[in-house]
Amino acid sequence: MAAAGDGPWLDGAAGRLVRPYQVSNGRTRPSTALDLLSQVMATGVTPLGYLGPEHAQALELCRDPVSVAEVAAHLKLPAAVTKVLLSDLVDCGALSMKPPTFHHNPTDRSLLEAVLDGLRRQL
């Protein structure tokens, strides 16, 4: 007979059985400033100590540069929780982080027009 804690981490009807605040140990703020568009990438450094399965999954996703938003989507976790996990990995040297690069003004009219033109060409 299986112990009470031996069940699956996900349930088809209920979803994730481990609540997000448990994944981040109740923390709501990352120690490193991360934007949803920040790029993170594994450094090859092995984290010391136990971090948890979500940390390992996040580290695996970061073999190539990936945005914080993409990691959150793959982990199926809220962005705030994902930022905490990723900041743990940055703090221990397992991830490097590059802030999003915008031209001096992310709402620059010429940049927005270029994006709009690109979208129109796709349609």
Side-chain angles (χ1 to χ4, degrees):
M1 177 178 258
D6 289 345
W9 290 100
L10 294 172
D11 178 89
R16 179 178 285 276
L17 298 178
V18 176
R19 298 293 175 226
Y21 67 86
Q22 289 176 303
V23 172
S24 64
N25 292 324
R27 295 172 294 146
T28 59
R29 299 195 194 282
S31 57
T32 303
L34 292 167
D35 186 273
L36 285 176
L37 299 177
S38 296
Q39 296 285 305
V40 288
M41 183 174 175
T43 62
V45 172
T46 302
L48 298 175
Y50 177 76
L51 290 176
E54 288 82 4
H55 287 90
Q57 289 174 321
L59 193 53
E60 181 68 23
L61 291 168
C62 297
R63 284 186 278 155
D64 294 317
V66 63
S67 71
V68 171
E70 289 175 271
V71 174
H74 284 289
L75 294 177
K76 296 179 181 163
L77 287 171
V81 173
T82 302
K83 287 179 182 181
V84 171
L85 295 176
L86 294 175
S87 71
D88 291 345
L89 293 168
V90 169
D91 292 346
C92 72
L95 284 183
S96 63
M97 185 275 295
K98 180 180 170 191
T101 54
F102 293 115
H103 301 291
H104 298 289
N105 181 3
T107 57
D108 177 48
R109 183 176 179 96
S110 62
L111 174 64
L112 295 174
E113 287 174 352
V115 170
L116 183 57
D117 290 341
L119 290 171
R120 284 182 179 149
R121 277 180 283 194
Q122 294 296 319
L123 298 175

